[in-house]
Amino acid sequence: MHEHDFSAMKVTIHRGSREIGGSCVEVCTPGSRLILDAGASLAASAEERLPEVTGFSCAGEKVDAVLLSHAHGDHTGLLHLAQAEVPVWMTRGTRLLLLAGEWFARWHPIGERPTRILRPGVPECVGDCTVTALSVDHSAFDSVAFLIECGGRRLLYSGDIRLHGRKPGMARTLIRAAARGPLDALLLEGTHFSRPDAAAPKTEAALTREIARELRGAPALALAFVSPQHLDRMVAFYKAARATGRTFALDLYGAYLWSEMRRQLGGSLPAIGAKNGLRVYFPSHIPRRVPKSLSEIFRPHQVTLDEMRTSPGDFLLLSRPSMVKLDFKHALPPRTLGIYSMWSGYLSRADWQATLAALEKCGGHFAEHHTSGHAPVADLAKLVTDLRPRRVVPIHTEHPEAFREHFPQTEIHNDGETFHV
């Protein structure tokens, strides 16, 4: 900050004002410089993204902290470009997902950079700012919003949020925390402003019932195409499997995350083991980065491909296109059911097209059962009514102008523009 600038808070949306994802926001105060998320664009290649990076990788004023709202790549994918000495603040769950992504999915490593763990609901001092991470319901475990307070000014950054998940209490806690004083600005995600007329999203409980109905009608092996980072969705598949007498077979990646999330939640998830209907499948390809000790931990609960081929109707296997290719060699058991529960945009990729072809070849069935990790417009309107912000600033949206139809206090700022709070 320049000495003559006494504004309590200056905010710059570096990325995300007119796209879904790629979020990167800078908050400057007289004594602090914070970066909220460091997201990669969903639309661009890595090479195309590099020239656009500003605010956290360039030389200049010191960055006091990069604050990560959750582990999805459109919020963390450019973290590796941050200067190595910049501290990264995140929840324990986000740290877990980033580490697992590094081991199993070739994500960029966090490296030796300094990290600090945020505890939801516990205020932290970062320079002259008070930063409070507030838990939100989203499709990544342990996601948070950020309440930032400085000089009597208060800013809430929503991150990615929904109100139709398994944890409605999170929204109530968020509203109570924000309502303790006037909220000067709300940076609000608007993913669903791109399709405001979409039907109301299903709840996770309704989705669980849908998946169970699909499994009851399946005579053979069932494959669950879902991200193991999405705990609520994993629980939906597990409950559906239990309701239909199937064992939920997790791959090593899923088993590691399930066990670690169970530990962080104090044992509220069932432990992996045959008596709980949870076993572990070891894929033919395990990345070298994965510690060998993990295999030993889960070996007593192993289920083999031969066992699943012998009794296919007894299993629901957590799967992905690489397993269909490398383990099944694109020759799935007869009449295999594939249940897909992710963003439909992935299905245009070549690996998913090959998976769909394998299901068709075996006489199987492909079914989509999904609900969004983002709040529909009606829920965002309810959230704004409850929060009563003086200004609503769109982010994580392709249609910021549509905010004005619902929120008269909307203030649109494009990438690179700085505004005062």
Side-chain angles (χ1 to χ4, degrees), residues 301-333:
H301 311 296
Q302 182 178 9
V303 59
T304 66
L305 207 57
D306 285 343
E307 187 176 350
M308 286 186 280
R309 283 193 172 113
T310 301
S311 304
D314 293 342
F315 293 96
L316 170 65
L317 173 63
L318 178 64
S319 192
R320 54 187 54 83
S322 61
M323 289 168 60
V324 174
K325 175 184 178 181
L326 299 174
D327 295 64
F328 290 98
K329 312 298 184 187
H330 289 134
L332 295 168

Side-chain angles (χ1 to χ4, degrees), residues 214 225 335-339 359-360 362-369:
E214 200 76 61
F225 296 120
R335 296 193 291 175
T336 295
L337 168 66
I339 303 177
L359 283 167
E360 183 177 1
C362 76
H365 176 60
F366 178 79
E368 289 189 64
H369 293 286

Side-chain angles (χ1 to χ4, degrees), residues 188-205:
L188 181 63
E189 75 117 310
T191 303
H192 281 292
F193 275 96
S194 62
R195 49 190 190 102
D197 298 326
K202 293 185 284 284
T203 64
E204 293 288 337

Side-chain angles (χ1 to χ4, degrees), residues 88-155:
V88 179
W89 297 61
M90 68 191 97
T91 63
R92 289 174 65 203
T94 294
R95 180 71 178 85
L96 165 66
L97 299 190
L98 290 178
L99 178 61
E102 177 184 336
W103 286 351
F104 290 94
R106 299 181 181 177
W107 290 6
H108 288 288
I110 295 176
E112 300 300 320
R113 67 178 68 253
T115 60
R116 294 284 300 273
I117 296 300
L118 290 162
R119 293 173 294 166
V122 178
E124 299 279 359
C125 291
V126 185
D128 58 354
C129 291
T130 299
V131 176
T132 307
L134 299 167
S135 295
V136 295
D137 196 335
H138 182 49
S139 52
F141 177 61
D142 214 8
S143 298
V144 292
F146 290 117
L147 178 64
I148 300 174
E149 300 170 280
C150 179
R153 298 290 182 173
R154 303 173 81 242
L155 166 74

Side-chain angles (χ1 to χ4, degrees), residues 330-395:
H330 289 134
L332 295 168
R335 296 193 291 175
T336 295
L337 168 66
I339 303 177
Y340 183 87
S341 193
M342 293 186 287
W343 178 51
S344 60
Y346 296 135
L347 292 174
S348 62
R349 297 186 337 198
D351 56 349
W352 280 107
Q353 288 297 303
T355 298
L356 293 174
L359 283 167
E360 183 177 1
K361 182 179 178 181
C362 76
H365 176 60
F366 178 79
E368 289 189 64
H369 293 286
H370 183 55
T371 190
S372 179
H374 302 270
V377 174
D379 283 356
L380 292 177
K382 181 180 184 304
L383 187 66
V384 170
T385 297
D386 291 337
L387 290 171
R388 303 190 305 276
R390 289 171 174 165
R391 285 183 281 177
V392 175
V393 179
I395 192 171

